[in-house]
Amino acid sequence: MAKANESATIDKSDNSIGKSPAESSVLVVGAGGIGCELLKSLALCRFRSIGVIDLDTIEVSNLNRQFLFRREHVGQPKATVACDSIRRLCPSINIEPFHGDVITDPRFDISFYKRYDLVINALDNVQARQHVNRMCLLCSKPLIDSGSTGYNGQATLILKGRTQCYDCIEKPKQQRTYAVCTIRNTPSQPIHCIVWAKFLYNQLFGDNDDPNNEDVTPDADDPENGTNGQEAVSSTTENGHHRISTRDWIQAEMEEFQPVRIFNKLFFDDINYLTTMKNLWEKRRQPIPIQYEQARQIQEKTLNGQSDHEQSATPKLNDQRIQSINEYAQMFIESLNELKQRCDKQRQAASSSKEPAFLVWDKNDDADLRFVTASANLRAYIFGINLTSKFDVKSMAGNIIPAVATTNAIVAGITVLQARKVLATLPRSSNDHTLTSIKQLTNVFISTDRKTGAIIQSIQLEEPNPSCIQCSDLEQPVRVRLNMSLFTLHSLYERLIRKHLKMNKPDVIIADGSGRILVSADDDEDEEMMLKTLDQFKLINGTILLCEEEYDDETNEALLQHMKIKLMLEHTDTITDKNEYIIVDDQVIGEIKQIKQSLKRKHIEDDDDDDDNIQHLDDYQNEINIVKKTKKLSTSHDEHNNGPMHTSFVMLVDDQASA
């Protein structure tokens, strides 16, 4: 690979407002398919200061399109190897790798993002994109979000307050869901069998205490079975075809562990039970149960009458070949034995460490993939469904989005052009990231749908969604400084949220795209959990919490029950008191005060007797007045002090005073 021309000089006579690539620093999040192309293009376009974040390590399957990696790099961090390859291409470049999770790694806080002029996403999952979107909004940094799916792709601009952010448009669900009764009783597609096989993996080796782990046993309450369900249950007992719950049966069976018995239970006994549910098979092909010894004799591997000769006409890799039922039966037993040994070792390790005592299915683990492939195809054969290669099972079970190297290269090239346009609108001042003009900026999409016109299209930038929870000015976060390693969940909820912000009992949700509830208003408090520090929940500098409380017209317990408040947590080691925190922006508190006052007027009209709530507002007004006069409250506390209830652990300051 030829080195970039280092002799080229940068024109310093340019008096334009914008920054040149050599003067700018860029953060690239993701070093995969698009990321490799992007880093190469940035280096060749004279970008000289680049940071690269990626969590993953290199796999063999990456080598066909992620050209910065070679076979000897398998198992090494993508970010590190990508940066080494770019340095060989362009020795003078300043490129720094960061191997870690962009969402949970404490290194990637607000101050980290502030080091860069521009951020570029080259990610393949929604949750990470949402997190980077939030961080760039908080820092007012321009963000370019690049992505591809098959032959389609895009490079969209996100500019705080001037364009739509990543969360302005609701994203489609990434994973389809299937009716449980279809999975357990009446599969009709290969994906149904694959989902069942993953359920089975969790039943055998996963967390048995997880209520979300579905039972793979036939569902006797299938609504399609109608009123004959109970008749079927009673008749099967007489005929010896009992319904035995796999969830219950497996506990004792895994102690004795006889793989052939497990095979016969899943593919013979359970299938025999299903055949007694007559209503299910009136318009369907009835499944044919098979025992292990029978399966070992079946050499069949045809699909819908397709002959072995026709299947072998096109050369295929081993993982792309459809195998015989005999081979899948053998694969099932071998992978079952291997996973049982691994599970036993995992449980032993868990007894002396904090490691989980169960296995988690991984599409990149060969034993995991072989088990699901064998289980799915054995079930598919029983139900007369097309068999699926190991290669396709990995794609379907791992929800892998197809990637095309050519599309990635086109997207990367367009993204670099977008980056140069954005930088051309940035002031040269390192402290000012306000774009001077966005008239020449557009979003760019790549589409093979010729109905839309050209393959590559520039689309006008859209205005921000006024109801977007992330970028709307109607809901600015309250910035709170605290020590994550000392401040407990109890202090956050009881002292900051309930006492200070005067919320009654809200839900507290981590706004990272996962929808994870930190505290639920409907559940009883877990004392052990509430005593944990915030860093134990993987909350980092810049984490946003959404506090939501619905209004209760009947009890009227709190004036703010219909209100939403966002908290942005900022970590600092300078606070050494576990109960101390700092509200950074009293302007936001003033806005909350105005909302409270408007609510006060409303509730005075509705209920003149609501003295308690009005008194809370009066207390809050007194606190605001104290803040305006002193800018800082003493942390010393006298138990008999009748002042504001939170002065023992709160300081309220503005940005200048805290700098």
Side-chain angles (χ1 to χ4, degrees), residues 413-430:
I414 292 172
T415 301
V416 173
L417 293 176
Q418 293 278 68
R420 297 199 64 156
K421 289 180 181 179
V422 170
L423 293 174
T425 67
L426 283 177
R428 290 188 179 274
S429 169
S430 60

Side-chain angles (χ1 to χ4, degrees), residues 22-23 40 67 79 91 212 287 306 319 325 419 464 493 550 572 603:
E23 298 174 300
K40 176 261 295 180
F67 65 92
N212 295 319
Q306 183 184 28
D319 285 356
I325 297 304
Y493 194 66
E550 295 183 1
T572 176
H603 283 275

